[in-house]
Amino acid sequence: MNDLVDLVEAARAEFTAAPTPAALEDAKARFLGKSGRVTELLKGLAALAHEAKKARGAEINQAKAAIEAALQARREALAAAELERQLRAEALDVTLPGRSRGTGSLHPVSRTIERIEAIFASMGFDVAEGPEIETDWMSFTALNNPENHPARSMQDTFYVDLKDAEGRWLNLRPHTSPMQVRYARQHAARHAQEIAAGRPMPEIRVIAPGRTYRVDSDATHSPMFHQCEGLWIGQNVSFKDLKVVLSDFVRRFFETDDFDMRFRPSFFPFTEPSAEVDIAFRDGPLAGRWLEVAGSGQVHPNVVRNFGLDAEANIGFAFGMGPDRLAMLRDGIDDMRLLFEGDLRFLAQFR
Ligand code: PHE
């Protein structure tokens, strides 16, 4: 009898010590398997007399039942521990905020340029882009701004350590005006046959947005900034057309009719006469303040000649606007440097 109590104790101890279901099944085999200890005891019954066999058989079966119960209990305990472990490993905190990829968006200046392009495109203007590293002739000389002329200091820029075919330093264009020259010369070349035959040349109507550079840096000037050039050349284009185009642009860009516009006499080497274009809103936070939105003027005959065109037959105007300033006015930004620092906390406000 005592040997059976010990046997059950030994089985319990081994089951409890089994760390995994596989180890537990090995332990089971040692007691209940084909040659396990309980099975061996049952085999031993054969040698006993009838009465003794009955009594001992009952005792062994009791012990066997106790061992099976211990086995079952340990199986359940291991399964519960395994489930617990899995739940812990795969735990989801459903109260955590979701992780998103973060949607990108266009920079406020890019959005402004797209807006400018759409408005001018609807007025029949082509959109052109050109190089930011320019020759001396394109940035200055062709625009009636000869070497050593004091007007060049209005547009002091950065130079590249490389010379052009004429032996002059290449520059980072200080304005988009060289695009007037590039575009008009291409246009003239494209229509060389009509021009040679004395037929009227199709009008040039183009805007050219892009990056520009100057030696300037404060709250309203950045060494890299943007301009958008405009050029309209034809046989019969006047200052009145300039005024219509620019006032229509302002109306649509700012989505208001409530502004005054004035042309303030100015100087640019490449236009004559020249004017700064100012607007003043009649209401809103900027009401009553004159805000400069563009430089402009009638294209100088010397420049028309540099376009490769007859300055007697072709006349028109040019303007240059600052998309950065336009973005600042429209979006209420008071420091230009914010536009170019790349701080996402600022940029995300314009999504
Ligand atoms: N290029 C001039 C500037 O940068 C602007 C301008 C463009 C003026 C076209 C007149 C005509 O200041």
Side-chain angles (χ1 to χ4, degrees), residues 275-295:
E276 306 280 357
V277 184
D278 301 335
I279 58 167
F281 297 110
R282 298 205 191 100
D283 51 31
L286 297 167
R289 269 174 54 195
W290 285 110
L291 310 161
E292 186 185 313
V293 293

Side-chain angles (χ1 to χ4, degrees), residues 8 23 26 84 128 191 195 197 253 283 309 311:
V8 171
D26 287 347
E84 178 69 13
H191 297 286
I195 294 170
F253 184 85
D283 51 31
L309 296 174

Side-chain angles (χ1 to χ4, degrees), residues 143 154-155 174-178 180 212 214 225 227-230 267-268 270-271 274-276 292 294-299 317-321:
L143 292 164
M154 283 168 72
Q155 287 145 338
H175 51 182
T176 44
S177 299
Q180 289 183 33
T212 46
R214 289 206 201 158
F225 60 106
Q227 278 197 346
C228 181
E229 197 75 9
F267 168 79
F268 299 101
F270 33 92
T271 48
S274 304
E276 306 280 357
E292 186 185 313
S296 69
Q298 184 173 311
V299 180
F317 58 78
F319 55 84
M321 313 192 290

